[in-house]
Amino acid sequence: MQLPPELDFLAPFLVEPTEAYKYATWLLNDFDADVWEYSFEYKTPKELDWRVKLDDHSLLTEPKNKNLLLGFKYFLIANTRDSTGYQGETNDLGGQQLVRFTKACYILDYLLINGRRYQLAKYGLEGLTAGNLQEMLKTIAGHPSALETIYNWRESLRDFCVALALKVESDVITEILAAVPQLSVITEEQIADDELDIPNALIPQVRAALYYFDLYHIQASGRQPNTIKISQDIYKNTLWGLSSPKTLYGILSYNIDSATFIREYRRAPVTSSTSKTMQEGAYFSYRRAVYTLGVLHELWLPAPTVEALIKADQFSPQLASAGRFRTLPSEVVFKGLRQAIEFHLDYGKELTKAFCRVALECRKRGVSPTALTHADVQKLAGPKLYAFGVRKLGLSVKSASDGIHQNCIKGEKSEYFDSLRSNNGLYELIAIYIGCAQLTVGILTARRASELYGLNALECLDETELWLLFKNAKSTRHLFGLRRREARPIEPIAVDMIKTLIRMQKVLTRIGYIDKPQTLFAAPSLLGSATLIDSTADSYNRKLDLFCDYFETPLNANGERYYFRQHQMRRFFAMLFFYCGSFAKLDTLQWMLGHTDPTHVYRYITESTDGAILASAKAQVAAEELHQGNYENFKDLMQLLKEHYGTEKFTLISADDLEDQIMELMKEGWIEIEPEFFSDHQGKKFKIVARLKRSSEAA
């Protein structure tokens, strides 16, 4: 139908489903191609090769398998569409669309791997019964990771490595180990973290075999097995499995000129979940993907019956409850915030200016930063940073001043972290400073990690420099895959940090070191390459880890360090209010927010903080107060907890356990925790009080 120009916007709704489902933003070439090119905001497009062998040894792309191939292709595209109709794609391209695409690929690989059992080549998707679909979902739900339930990755990798070692002659293994002695070095950390279950005595032989077959690649933390290359051997007849990266087992890693450690201590668990089954949220995404097979009925293609799909959609195996993010002790976070702000005030501008001077010198000489000698770096750093301890470009950089026979750049772990805290490496200090900015902005804005590491340096502040501009991570529904741009007020100290980073990137752009400003928390490579590494989830957390090791955040009872994660810190903006009130330091928070009345401050907190985050902050405050023996304002709560624990000595109970129980009481409506405002001769104040709700309300 030809529409008049003023009705052109209706055109997408008049396209037949068989045509509409042939197109997707991520699909870069023709739907009918045997090899798809696709990109979810990748720098380099990837390929999906449909020429896989089925259980009868025929290729999926052969004419006799036409309906099965079309079913697979339409199923994959349909999974990235909005559930309300085929016209709209869901969410942002590199976010939810990629997640759904991946889940659908897992489902297709499961069918291909188990094709003989389901006689996929003979009966196609139409032959899948309700029992088959339920069996598939039960299998997937049997482990937190689909890599294990679908690909059996750990066991497959172990068998592959052992078999590979047997393929190489013993004298060749001996020669390799003599030429690369680091292959034989197994650290205590690797042994402690080992889950691959290959005997330690066999590890050097396995590494030598991987080395012989060129199955290692260089990563920031060392030489690591190339899991994609290995997967291409193990999972030949899969769509996604043969080309996607897999879990890395550190016992197989080694290094020639740098140690493999990343953190000083083992990381304290971030979540409370220890279940061996999949959590509900992840399972539901797989169940949704399976149910999308029903789209094929709309396209007149063979598919499981509607009854089978309904039974699959109603199937719920035993699942793990959603794990709660573990609480960080408030004094740890607040001390970290103080240290971050002090570090910024003392050295923030000096560090960013020093990096700009290094970049300018490299541009003038036309060399990489690694070509600079230690003397060059010390001169460019300036007298203040030299007095602070700066002696070289980076602790992981092999520079012009390092001897060619130097075996290990980072040195032993104790040596490296001593040098880190002695401020020897300029690049590490810059990364730590950016970690300070991440921590401060993260606490004072209470935003999601993805909203923060995605901030654009040129677009994150408004003209007044009073508002943080970000893309809301959960706002794309009915917006054609676009994130809603939102603004939140931001405190002056955080603005000052942001402006320092923006100024650095503008200078780097002006001198031609980078093409244009990047993400706000982009940082120089710790290996010394002439680039600025964009902020991603991994790099964002890596800088927080460096911050924690540099400032030596405390260890828990198991000797594990508290390494900050943004989701754990989202509650601490609200906790600043409770903390400042408890310690008569509310003036600080009032100054930060520009309010003089604590009731106004609390109103701002409740309006800008998610309800669940605010509730968890209240529970943590109450738990910490009880754990410290401060019972005055929590008598009703104490009585309820006494019935659960059989004791009033809450100092003997862990703050985490108390918090869990208080959260349950709040969810069930038994208790409410709120600030109680009052006035005295010093003005308006407040105290945190737990009140027992009426039984009728609780019911």
Side-chain angles (χ1 to χ4, degrees):
M1 176 188 298
Q2 185 66 36
L3 294 172
E6 60 271 20
L7 296 180
D8 280 348
F9 69 94
L10 292 175
F13 298 91
L14 301 179
V15 178
E16 288 295 323
T18 51
E19 288 301 313
Y21 279 123
K22 285 186 176 181
Y23 302 96
T25 303
W26 49 265
L27 180 58
L28 305 182
N29 61 339
D30 191 70
F31 176 87
D32 295 319
D34 289 342
V35 180
W36 275 5
E37 291 184 11
Y38 68 93
S39 176
F40 290 91
E41 299 179 343
Y42 302 142
K43 291 183 178 178
T44 304
K46 298 184 179 182
E47 292 185 346
L48 200 67
D49 194 340
W50 295 101
R51 296 168 298 184
V52 296
K53 282 187 178 180
L54 300 177
D55 54 283
D56 65 350
H57 303 293
S58 66
L59 292 177
L60 178 61
T61 51
E62 290 183 17
K64 79 180 195 69
N65 298 317
K66 179 182 178 181
N67 283 339
L68 181 60
L69 175 62
L70 287 174
F72 275 20
K73 287 183 173 181
Y74 279 126
F75 167 76
L76 191 52
I77 290 179
N79 262 286
T80 62
R81 294 296 175 89
D82 194 293
S83 57
T84 59
Y86 60 80
Q87 294 89 356
E89 293 180 309
T90 183
N91 245 306
D92 58 312
L93 188 61
Q96 192 63 21
Q97 276 203 58
L98 175 58
V99 171
R100 291 188 176 185
F101 175 87
T102 304
K103 295 290 191 295
C105 286
Y106 280 152
I107 296 297
L108 294 179
D109 274 356
Y110 179 91
L111 294 174
L112 290 169
I113 291 170
N114 296 278
R116 186 174 299 279
R117 292 183 58 238
Y118 297 142
Q119 298 187 61
L120 196 62
K122 182 176 182 180
Y123 297 112
L125 294 174
E126 190 176 23
L128 295 174
T129 65
N132 295 148
L133 298 179
Q134 290 174 339
E135 177 192 47
M136 174 166 56
L137 289 171
K138 183 177 181 180
T139 300
I140 292 173
H143 192 277
S145 171
L147 288 177
E148 296 303 325
T149 55
I150 293 176
Y151 301 107
N152 195 23
W153 168 241
R154 185 174 69 90
E155 187 175 330
S156 298
L157 176 62
R158 183 179 65 233
D159 293 345
F160 172 84
C161 288
V162 172
L164 196 70
L166 296 176
K167 289 181 179 179
V168 185
E169 297 291 337
S170 59
D171 57 340
V172 175
I173 293 287
T174 302
E175 290 177 8
I176 292 174
L177 294 178
V180 190
Q182 292 81 4
L183 289 166
S184 299
V185 177
I186 306 174
T187 66
E188 292 182 4
E189 193 175 43
Q190 288 176 321
I191 294 174
D193 293 339
D194 180 30
E195 296 179 348
L196 196 54
D197 294 336
I198 295 177
N200 289 339
L202 191 58
I203 291 296
Q205 185 177 340
V206 167
R207 291 177 177 175
L210 291 168
Y211 181 91
Y212 178 78
F213 286 104
D214 193 27
L215 292 175
Y216 277 107
H217 59 172
I218 300 175
Q219 298 295 298
S221 59
R223 267 70 169 177
Q224 299 174 352
N226 188 326
T227 59
I228 294 179
K229 276 190 175 182
I230 294 172
S231 296
Q232 288 170 351
D233 191 291
I234 299 177
Y235 307 111
K236 293 178 179 178
N237 293 315
T238 61
L239 285 170
W240 178 255
L242 85 169
S243 60
S244 61
K246 309 290 189 303
T247 303
L248 182 71
Y249 290 91
I251 193 72
L252 299 177
S253 299
Y254 78 99
N255 216 334
I256 291 177
D257 54 11
S258 180
T260 57
F261 58 82
I262 297 177
R263 290 177 287 270
E264 186 173 16
Y265 289 92
R266 292 173 66 89
R267 188 177 67 200
V270 177
T271 64
S272 59
S273 177
T274 57
S275 175
K276 295 182 179 180
T277 58
M278 187 170 284
Q279 291 186 7
E280 291 180 351
Y283 170 74
F284 292 154
S285 64
Y286 284 103
R287 191 173 67 181
R288 176 199 172 281
V290 170
Y291 190 70
T292 306
L293 285 168
V295 168
L296 302 183
H297 287 291
E298 183 181 353
L299 305 173
W300 301 101
L301 285 170
T305 65
V306 173
E307 292 76 11
L309 291 168
I310 291 174
K311 288 183 178 179
D313 193 46
Q314 295 171 343
F315 180 66
S316 293
Q318 184 175 355
L319 300 169
S321 57
R324 184 177 67 83
F325 276 86
R326 288 181 183 265
T327 294
L328 288 169
S330 59
E331 67 272 13
V332 173
V333 180
F334 294 140
K335 182 179 180 181
L337 179 60
R338 176 177 61 79
Q339 291 167 326
I341 293 173
E342 290 175 350
F343 193 79
H344 161 70
L345 295 174
D346 291 339
Y347 298 105
K349 290 182 173 59
E350 286 292 330
L351 286 167
T352 53
K353 287 179 181 178
F355 178 50
C356 291
R357 289 194 291 269
V358 168
L360 180 58
E361 185 68 17
C362 291
R363 290 289 295 170
K364 286 180 178 178
R365 298 190 194 180
V367 298
S368 168
T370 56
L372 300 176
T373 65
H374 295 338
D376 291 333
V377 173
Q378 292 165 19
K379 181 179 179 181
L380 292 166
K384 182 175 180 178
L385 291 181
Y386 180 81
F388 191 45
V390 172
R391 295 294 182 269
K392 55 170 64 175
L393 190 68
L395 305 180
S396 302
V397 177
K398 194 163 188 176
S399 72
S401 293
D402 295 321
I404 59 174
H405 300 297
Q406 180 183 2
N407 288 328
C408 186
I409 299 171
K410 292 171 72 173
E412 296 298 323
K413 180 185 285 189
S414 59
E415 177 188 351
Y416 173 84
F417 287 104
D418 284 345
S419 297
L420 179 73
R421 288 188 281 268
S422 296
N423 310 307
N424 292 164
L426 175 63
Y427 274 17
E428 278 77 12
L429 287 174
I430 294 169
I432 290 164
Y433 172 64
I434 297 175
C436 291
Q438 290 177 180
L439 180 70
T440 305
V441 174
I443 290 176
L444 299 182
T445 61
R447 301 315 312 168
R448 298 177 181 88
S450 62
E451 295 167 349
L452 295 179
Y453 64 70
L455 288 173
N456 184 284
L458 289 186
E459 300 174 355
C460 60
L461 290 177
D462 77 321
E463 292 180 356
T464 67
E465 297 180 347
L466 297 174
W467 297 79
L468 181 74
L469 307 177
F470 62 93
K471 294 180 179 179
N472 192 318
K474 295 190 176 182
S475 63
T476 58
R477 188 169 177 81
H478 303 311
L479 290 178
F480 304 99
L482 300 175
R483 288 186 178 189
R484 181 182 291 112
R485 193 169 177 79
E486 296 186 4
R488 292 289 186 276
I490 184 169
E491 290 65 51
I493 189 63
V495 170
D496 196 43
M497 290 182 171
I498 290 173
K499 287 170 66 177
T500 301
L501 296 179
I502 292 173
R503 191 179 303 115
M504 178 186 76
Q505 291 204 32
K506 284 184 175 179
V507 172
L508 294 175
T509 304
R510 189 165 61 248
I511 65 178
Y513 192 78
I514 58 176
D515 294 332
K516 60 181 179 179
Q518 298 172 216
T519 50
L520 176 65
F521 299 118
S525 166
L526 293 180
L527 297 180
S529 58
T531 184
L532 204 62
I533 305 299
D534 255 331
S535 182
T536 62
D538 288 340
S539 66
Y540 189 89
N541 289 335
R542 175 74 180 109
K543 292 190 284 288
L544 289 176
D545 289 349
L546 270 175
F547 172 94
C548 293
D549 283 327
Y550 179 78
F551 287 107
E552 297 182 273
T553 54
L555 310 181
N556 65 12
N558 297 321
E560 301 161 326
R561 172 155 284 166
Y562 291 112
Y563 289 101
F564 299 152
R565 290 295 179 265
Q566 178 57 24
H567 197 99
Q568 293 174 294
M569 294 187 293
R570 292 188 66 197
R571 71 178 67 180
F572 281 95
F573 180 62
M575 286 194 67
L576 273 171
F577 174 83
F578 302 126
Y579 178 85
C580 291
S582 300
F583 291 86
K585 297 177 182 176
L586 186 59
D587 289 347
T588 303
L589 189 59
Q590 290 172 334
W591 169 78
M592 288 165 52
L593 298 180
H595 294 300
T596 57
D597 190 326
T599 57
H600 296 166
V601 178
Y602 188 63
R603 185 179 302 120
Y604 172 82
I605 295 284
T606 56
E607 289 175 353
S608 62
T609 305
D610 177 82
I613 299 295
L614 184 59
S616 67
K618 294 176 183 177
Q620 181 175 347
V621 169
E624 289 185 351
E625 289 289 301
L626 291 175
H627 186 66
Q628 294 168 12
N630 302 323
Y631 302 149
E632 180 63 28
N633 300 321
F634 302 97
K635 293 180 179 178
D636 289 339
L637 177 58
M638 287 172 61
Q639 186 60 38
L640 288 173
L641 292 173
K642 180 181 178 181
E643 295 174 7
H644 178 80
Y645 288 107
T647 181
E648 291 182 346
K649 296 182 178 179
F650 299 114
T651 55
L652 304 177
I653 304 169
S654 77
D656 279 344
D657 289 343
L658 280 173
E659 184 183 337
D660 287 341
Q661 187 62 26
I662 293 169
M663 280 293 294
E664 286 301 315
L665 292 173
M666 291 173 66
K667 287 179 180 178
E668 293 172 5
W670 286 103
I671 203 83
E672 65 177 5
I673 300 172
E674 293 290 338
E676 186 175 89
F677 298 95
F678 62 92
S679 298
D680 62 13
H681 66 283
Q682 294 180 333
K684 186 168 283 190
K685 294 185 177 181
F686 72 94
K687 58 183 178 180
I688 306 301
V689 178
R691 299 187 185 88
L692 182 66
K693 284 189 170 183
R694 294 182 180 181
S695 58
S696 60
E697 293 177 344

